[in-house]
């Protein structure tokens, strides 16, 4: 039920974000994750508050699933003073350490080296906390991926590398830029477990992530999970998707995780439609309130230019 | 020349014309081929359809490898134009640019050379935040062996891109994102603008405003307003930061006796420091006041629109500087 | 204070003392552990034997990953000292330094911070050629969020390293290779030298020579010779480039009326431009002549000894500048 | 015989270099390749003049094997005007395009991206020339390795990645920094052939490199060869080798390729000791002459500071 709740929150949040942007009330680059909801929902359902994550520009779902407050997230997307980062980071750099959401990066691949450090800290602290690095399929071709997986393996770091393979890096197909047919294959180059799973299938994903998280908590080192999925709204919201072969998106719709999981729960008698609707409605209300909160929040003071550059405030 | 086009189109024309003339010209970078959209903002549109996917290649997200590939091909006589989508991403492959492209001619004693162009976009004003907006041209201007070009109009962009492609050395070609879609005079196809030659975009006698990129065009528009108030500013668009046109700048400041240097890069340790120092070195005792430097605030580029706007040089800052230099009260 | 030690030892002491006091202090980098030699030139010798291989870690050649690891650990409250062996190698992980370490505090609105030290060595004079000798401090000084320290003596190195480790923000600590083994006064263990405070290493009234690193120590030695000829130079070692001590510099130049800024980084678009511009901005009309900037030639660092020597600031250049500024013929 | 000749040249050149440095007649950082002679000798024996290579600071053997003139090489190491690079590059940056020796880099990993470009040029030119990128085992952990192998595989570039695994990166053991027991294993992450061979065994090496070169010439794409070997004079000449376990060097001596190959040739009756000695003597004479040439060559003019920064000479 926790998983469903997360998925529902994510689904509705994305829906609302696109709508608010479309109606011109927010002006930001928005990288919709629609279609990828299952991955962070499942992964984060198995994480503690003290576990940490790092993610990417297309990471709002990861943040929400990890527990980042919806209202502060919206205020940050709106560039307001009540945002997680006082409006200074924006949608690509949301951070919320209280919920373990340590860093969001806009540089492809860079969530991974930093995740190694977060995990190293867990290890040095002698806890069994773990760290998850979220990233995309095309990030599997950049140097930071290679170095991080090797380092994590050599140091046996408690980190789980979760690759959301949505088949595209911007407008370029996975096959055109990656020499092997699966990112998970590359785990062998680091002597670590590599799992290729249907990232839209909650149960499959659950089992694999549990294994990887257990392994990390047990001090046995990192794992790589490739969760295959699809993004329904292109690279950045507003993109035209002429680069996609006709019918690809339609075909992918059959795997859309939120409706499927909903159906799975109701068909299997795990939950009633009414129960789920109640969850949905509660989230919608939360999101509505968050949007209102965000748009009512003041702009940051210009003096913020000089704050947080260093610990000590600068003199203009 | 009365037709209007924007910089996206002008740069596209320059690459197109160069590829048509010389089959050694190559284009590579993320998404640059037509089946991948012809570049994120369409600057390379049509090129792979016209010149083939051998010469126009969509790369993996592997800036080190594909910049290296461009260097290697350039050493073998090709003329690659490599797109590193945004300037901040150049940090992942600075080794290739700084330790290799810039230095191979010198370290090989002139036996090899790297005639390549690195195209990159950047600029605050799009709400892209701290990792997608930086102007880092001073890094590359400080690195001997590189040239750095930052055009501000479509026709300049065309002529400078043609010169950059012709150039026997590596040229970093910076595209100012917020003005990419501004219309401007269409270039004469085939024309060149020499790298290192500034353009006096407005003549004046009271003060010299020197800069490049979007902000100098803004300053120029502003100068017309100042003129109504009796302040006659000369406005110089440097167009390239390295080499930069010392001669034109000194001639102007010698005439006006006062200078403002303005750019969107951070002021501290920024390009303006070199320009201001050079002016002082040559015109000591002939300046009414020290050269005023205006640049971005010393911080990462903030996301929030109010802060993003506050981070870059404003017309108010320029106006205040002009007034203080010409001695006119506000 | 009469004992003599060198900078290798001084930096080693600083790390040793910090590690003893605070178990959050970590050391990582290539070969830094004792079973791998305690660093290529032995600066980290003894640390892993003393504090264990958990806290002192020899890394793979993966600058991006291990700098990222240091950033992550720093965000979690550790105080990593990461060694990037030579400054030119920072180009392979500039993304981590510039887009992340420097900006995370700002972009997170102050929620996270990166209290780490990046140690790196560099400097022409070792015959290492174009990819092992560059001074790139201007890159990092231009990037808001970083501090840059370049000590020139063992006791400065100790005190500045202690401050760098204490600092709540990322500090780049540049070790000048050719002087690493020069003996100097031993530091008082536990002492700190504040980052951003210059040291007047020689008082004088005729001209201010301002710089940092090996070249300012050379200039200081030279000033004694000039004194015999009746030229009384004030010599200021900045010790840190960002922040740099504007106050001390301005006070000195106000007194002497003339300034020379000298560093081993390339002159063009170098750190000296910021310093010279700032001096002009504040002391216009009170300078006998424009500030003279002396830096490395605009080229890669050449291998051949004669060229390597010619590439860096020479005492002749400084002497010529001093003489022209004080009006004494050669 | 060509292979023997190359090995002999390399062996004697290294011997002489160490001697000249020890006696103070040359002052340079010198990364001795002693023990690794077989690798470039075999590889380059199968290359044409028009094939290109890129190598690293420890690459004098690669250059000589590819045909870089001995006298110009020495003059460059001496920083003289008759050096390959007029003394401006030095031992870490020797370049000699006439012999296909395109670039020597001092940055770990960087021989590989540039080799991709050299190979891309071959392909665009429609020739069947190939490119070899030489590098060390520890370079297998840096991002440039990963990106280059992936790019070469995706673009099917005619490039052969030759890793000389001498068990150490500076003072750190291979096992301590690499998560798998062989660099060649990583070829699978790029879907290309990976060969692990005894890099001191001429015959084994010959077969494998022939296969890889043929494949590249046939347009079938890159290969990765890991040639296991040992360096007898540490990282940089003058190093103390306290970091090596006692006896390791002595044990490795049994695999020293030059004496072994010599013995193989004479024992097998492929050549007489006298023949080989004649080759050795000829090389020694060449080297002697080269040293004399180098030390007699003038220093470069200071004006060289301003040349080759750009095509156009700078004004001081
Ligand atoms: C180093 C770097 N290069 C290029 C980019 C531009 N860019 C942003 S997202 C992206 C595609 C990434 O694709 P993937 O890793 O599959 O993640 P997805 O966007 O599909 O979630 C690119 C090329 C970047 N941000 N950083
Ligand atoms: C990016 C980078 N990091 C660090 C160094 C310093 N360094 C020079 S050689 C070397 C070891 C390389 O080992 P390996 O790749 O095995 O080659 P070998 O020296 O053994 O031939 C290191 C760390 C460098 N030159 N470049
Ligand atoms: Mg993707
Ligand atoms: Mg090695």
């Amino acid at each position: 039920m926790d998983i469903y709740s997360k998925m529902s929150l994510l689904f509705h949040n994305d829906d609302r974000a696109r709508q608010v942007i479309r109606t011109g009330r927010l002006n930001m680059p928005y990288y919709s994750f629609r279609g990828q909801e299952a991955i962070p929902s499942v992964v984060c359902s198995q994480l503690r508050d003290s576990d940490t994550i790092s993610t990417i520009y297309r990471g709002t779902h990861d943040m929400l699933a990890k527990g980042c407050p919806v209202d502060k997230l919206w205020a940050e997307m709106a560039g307001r003073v009540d945002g997680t980062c006082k409006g200074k980071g924006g949608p690509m750099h949301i951070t919320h350490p209280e919920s373990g959401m340590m860093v969001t990066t806009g540089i492809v691949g860079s969530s991974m080296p930093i995740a190694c450090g977060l995990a190293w800290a867990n290890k040095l602290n002698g806890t069994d906390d773990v760290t998850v690095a979220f990233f995309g399929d095309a990030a599997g071709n950049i140097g930071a991926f290679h170095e991080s997986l090797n380092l994590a393996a050599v140091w046996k770091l408690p980190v789980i590398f979760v690759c959301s393979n949505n088949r595209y890096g911007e407008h370029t197909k996975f096959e055109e830029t990656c020499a092997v047919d699966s990112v998970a294959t590359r785990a062998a180059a680091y002597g670590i477990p590599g799992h290729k799973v249907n990232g839209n299938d909650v149960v499959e994903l659950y089992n694999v992530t549990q294994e990887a998280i257990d392994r990390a908590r047990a001090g046995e080192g990192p794992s790589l999970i490739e969760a295959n999925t699809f993004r329904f709204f292109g690279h950045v919201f507003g993109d035209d998707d002429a680069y996609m072969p006709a019918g690809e998106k339609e075909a992918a719709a059959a795997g859309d995780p939120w409706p499927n999981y909903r159906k799975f729960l109701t068909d299997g008698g795990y939950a009633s439609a009414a129960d789920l609707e109640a969850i949905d409605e509660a989230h919608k209300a939360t999101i509505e309130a968050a949007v209102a909160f965000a748009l009512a929040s003041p702009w940051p003071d210009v003096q913020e230019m000089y704050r947080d550059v260093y610990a000590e405030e600068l003199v203009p | 020349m009365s037709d209007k086009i924007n910089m996206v189109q002008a740069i596209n024309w320059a690459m197109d014309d160069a590829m048509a003339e010389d089959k050694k010209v190559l284009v590579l970078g993320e998404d640059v081929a037509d089946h991948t959209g012809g570049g994120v903002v369409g600057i390379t549109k049509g090129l792979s359809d016209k010149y083939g996917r051998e010469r126009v290649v969509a790369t993996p997200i592997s800036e080190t490898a594909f910049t290296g590939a461009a260097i290697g091909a350039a050493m073998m006589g090709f003329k690659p134009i490599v797109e590193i989508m945004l300037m901040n991403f150049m940090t992942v492959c600075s080794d290739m640019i700084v330790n290799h492209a810039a230095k191979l001619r010198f370290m090989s004693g002139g036996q090899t050379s790297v005639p390549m162009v690195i195209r990159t976009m950047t600029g605050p004003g799009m709400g892209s935040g701290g990792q997608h907006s930086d102007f880092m041209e001073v890094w590359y201007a400080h690195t001997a062996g590189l040239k750095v070009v930052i055009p501000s109009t479509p026709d300049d962009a065309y002529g400078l891109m043609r010169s950059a492609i012709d150039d026997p050395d590596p040229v970093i070609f910076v595209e100012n994102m917020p003005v990419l879609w501004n219309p401007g005079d269409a270039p004469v196809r085939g024309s060149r603008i020499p790298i290192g030659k500034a353009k006096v975009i407005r003549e004046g006698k009271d003060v010299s405003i020197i800069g490049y990129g979007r902000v100098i065009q803004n300053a120029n528009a502003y100068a017309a307003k100042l003129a109504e108030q009796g302040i006659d500013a000369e406005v110089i668009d440097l167009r390239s930061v390295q080499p930069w046109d010392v001669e034109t700048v000194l001639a102007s400041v010698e005439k006006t006796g006062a200078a403002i240097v303005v750019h969107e890069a951070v002021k501290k340790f920024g390009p303006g420091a070199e320009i201001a120092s050079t002016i002082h070195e040559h015109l000591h005792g002939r300046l009414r006041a020290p050269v005023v430097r205006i640049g971005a605030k010393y911080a990462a580029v903030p996301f929030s629109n109010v802060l993003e706007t506050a981070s870059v040089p404003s017309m108010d800052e320029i106006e205040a500087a002009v007034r203080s230099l010409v001695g006119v009260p506000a």
Side-chain angles (χ1 to χ4, degrees), chain A, chain B:
Chain A
M1 212 40 54
D2 180 36
I3 295 178
Y4 179 80
S5 175
K6 284 188 195 298
M7 279 175 76
S8 167
L9 171 64
L10 273 43
F11 176 91
H12 290 104
N13 202 75
D14 184 82
D15 206 47
R16 198 76 183 94
R18 281 178 285 109
Q19 199 183 337
V20 171
I21 293 169
R22 218 166 23 227
T23 55
R25 279 184 293 160
L26 271 194
N27 192 356
M28 61 165 184
Y30 182 65
Y31 303 85
S32 168
F33 54 79
R34 253 307 282 121
Q36 306 188 173
E37 291 85 352
I39 302 163
S41 299
V42 171
V43 171
C44 294
S45 74
Q46 296 172 76
L47 297 181
R48 310 169 180 156
D49 282 352
S50 56
D51 292 328
T52 46
I53 69 168
S54 67
T55 187
I56 59 169
Y57 50 92
R58 192 188 314 287
T60 325
H61 51 344
D62 304 327
M63 303 158 200
L64 289 172
K66 187 65 174 67
C68 180
V70 186
D71 53 355
K72 280 170 161 285
L73 182 102
W74 274 89
E76 188 61 29
M77 298 198 300
R80 306 305 170 98
V81 75
D82 293 310
T84 50
C85 312
K86 302 191 258 178
K88 295 160 89 163
M92 279 202 263
H93 304 299
I94 287 169
T95 304
H96 193 257
E98 272 170 70
S99 60
M101 172 57 240
M102 297 305 292
V103 61
T104 302
T105 181
I107 309 293
V108 166
S110 295
S111 62
M112 292 177 266
I114 297 178
C116 285
L118 301 171
W120 186 31
N122 298 336
K123 193 173 171 166
L124 287 163
N125 284 331
T127 72
D128 64 350
D129 288 340
V130 301
T131 301
V132 176
F134 290 101
F135 60 102
D137 50 294
N141 300 320
I142 200 163
F145 166 89
H146 175 69
E147 295 190 10
S148 302
L149 268 70
N150 184 60
L151 190 79
V154 170
W155 289 5
K156 282 202 173 225
L157 296 176
V159 56
I160 301 100
F161 296 99
V162 176
C163 174
S164 299
N165 187 342
N166 57 21
R167 311 186 200 171
Y168 284 93
E170 297 206 338
H171 309 156
T172 303
K173 274 188 111 55
F174 178 69
E175 300 75 44
E176 211 179 315
T177 56
C178 181
V180 283
D181 63 6
S182 137
V183 176
T185 303
R186 295 189 163 160
Y190 314 104
I192 63 172
H195 306 278
K196 180 176 174 168
V197 295
N198 180 348
N200 296 335
D201 182 325
V202 171
V203 178
E204 198 180 319
L205 201 53
Y206 190 90
N207 294 332
V208 153
T209 51
Q210 188 167 47
E211 188 182 326
I213 292 170
D214 286 352
R215 185 180 141 86
R217 290 208 201 285
E220 289 160 21
S223 302
L224 170 62
I225 296 171
E226 172 182 2
N228 287 279
T229 184
F230 198 75
R231 52 162 167 70
F232 288 105
F233 290 94
H235 175 61
V236 60
F237 181 57
D239 258 12
D240 92 40
D241 43 18
Y243 58 88
M244 284 193 191
E248 182 173 17
K249 198 191 285 187
E250 293 66 26
D256 194 351
W258 182 68
N260 285 352
Y261 190 53
R262 210 169 196 291
K263 192 160 179 308
F264 169 86
L265 290 177
T266 49
D267 285 4
Y270 301 107
S272 72
D275 288 348
L276 301 185
E277 225 140 89
I279 294 176
D280 299 345
E281 289 310 315
H283 285 317
K284 282 195 207 166
T286 307
I287 294 164
E288 242 4 85
V291 176
F293 171 81
L295 295 177
S297 171
W299 296 105
D301 192 286
V302 170
Q303 188 60 22
E304 284 295 339
M305 267 320 306
Y306 309 98
R307 291 189 191 123
D308 307 322
V309 180
Y310 299 97
E312 226 173 281
E313 190 167 328
L314 291 175
V315 181
Chain B
M1 284 283 275
S2 64
D3 283 355
K4 298 286 176 188
I5 67 167
N6 65 30
M7 233 194 256
V8 170
Q9 209 170 340
I11 298 166
N12 180 275
W13 282 5
M15 292 190 285
D16 192 347
D17 294 351
M19 293 192 89
E21 276 174 31
D22 181 355
K23 64 185 192 343
K24 292 283 185 189
V25 179
L26 309 170
V27 167
L28 70 164
E30 291 148 15
D31 301 322
V32 297
D34 283 306
H35 70 287
T36 57
V40 267
V41 302
I43 297 188
T44 52
K45 252 202 177 90
L47 299 179
S48 73
D49 283 349
K50 207 157 160 186
Y51 303 105
R53 283 174 59 182
E54 291 280 293
R55 290 177 62 197
V56 182
V57 195
T59 61
I61 308 181
S62 308
E63 280 82 359
T64 297
F66 72 72
T67 304
I71 293 172
M75 291 169 74
M76 298 289 282
F78 286 90
K79 295 184 148 288
I81 306 170
V82 52
E83 171 174 320
I84 297 176
M85 199 179 290
L86 293 178
M87 196 165 208
N88 282 80
F89 311 160
M90 290 175 73
T91 56
V92 303
C93 60
S94 296
D95 166 49
M96 281 296 136
I97 301 169
V98 167
N99 290 325
H100 295 92
K103 292 177 178 169
L104 291 182
R105 180 190 288 277
F106 187 84
M107 297 197 310
S108 73
Q111 293 176 98
T112 59
S113 61
V114 185
M116 74 193 272
V117 179
I118 297 178
R119 287 184 43 233
T120 192
M121 299 185 290
T122 197
M126 315 283 293
S128 299
Q131 293 180 337
H132 285 66
S133 315
D134 281 339
F135 278 94
M136 303 171 145
E137 64 271 20
V138 80
W139 288 23
Y140 303 106
H142 184 57
T143 305
L146 301 174
K147 298 183 180 177
V148 184
V149 168
I150 309 186
S152 68
T153 65
D155 54 343
D156 279 2
Y158 179 91
L160 287 165
M161 177 53 88
R162 293 304 305 266
S163 295
I165 298 169
D166 292 344
D167 204 280
D169 288 300
V171 179
I172 295 174
F173 190 94
V174 185
E175 301 165 7
N176 204 307
M177 265 200 109
V179 297
L180 278 181
W181 295 273
N182 289 4
D185 288 338
V188 176
R189 292 182 86 140
S191 64
R192 306 288 198 275
I193 291 172
I195 295 173
K197 219 43 224 123
K199 184 178 178 183
V200 180
I201 49 178
R202 187 181 193 287
E203 291 195 27
K205 59 179 183 5
D206 295 336
V207 57
S208 304
I209 305 177
I210 301 146
Y212 50 86
R214 148 167 102 125
V215 77
I216 199 68
Q217 288 294 337
N218 292 348
N220 188 43
Y222 202 69
K225 276 179 59 183
L226 289 172
E228 291 167 18
Q229 301 163 46
I231 300 175
D232 189 17
E234 179 144 310
V235 183
I236 297 178
D237 185 345
L238 290 177
R239 305 198 284 203
S240 62
V241 179
Q242 165 50 30
W244 62 280
D245 191 344
V246 179
E247 215 171 309
T248 299
V249 167
L250 293 181
S252 171
V253 183
E254 179 145 34
K255 177 177 72 177
T256 61
I260 297 167
V261 182
V262 57
H263 52 57
E264 289 179 279
V266 157
K267 173 182 167 185
K268 196 177 279 195
F269 295 99
E274 175 70 24
I275 297 162
S277 296
T278 305
I279 295 172
H280 282 291
E281 283 156 15
H282 286 89
L283 300 174
H284 187 75
R286 286 190 272 180
L287 296 167
R288 292 197 302 280
V291 180
V292 175
R293 292 182 290 148
I294 301 178
K297 306 291 180 296
Y298 198 58
V301 176
F303 165 70
S304 182
N305 188 257
V306 289
L307 295 176
E308 189 187 30
T309 305
S311 76
V312 289
S314 69
M315 287 308 120
D316 284 354
E317 282 174 274
I318 295 177
E319 169 162 2
V322 168
R323 288 191 184 280
S324 86
L325 286 178
V326 299
V328 177

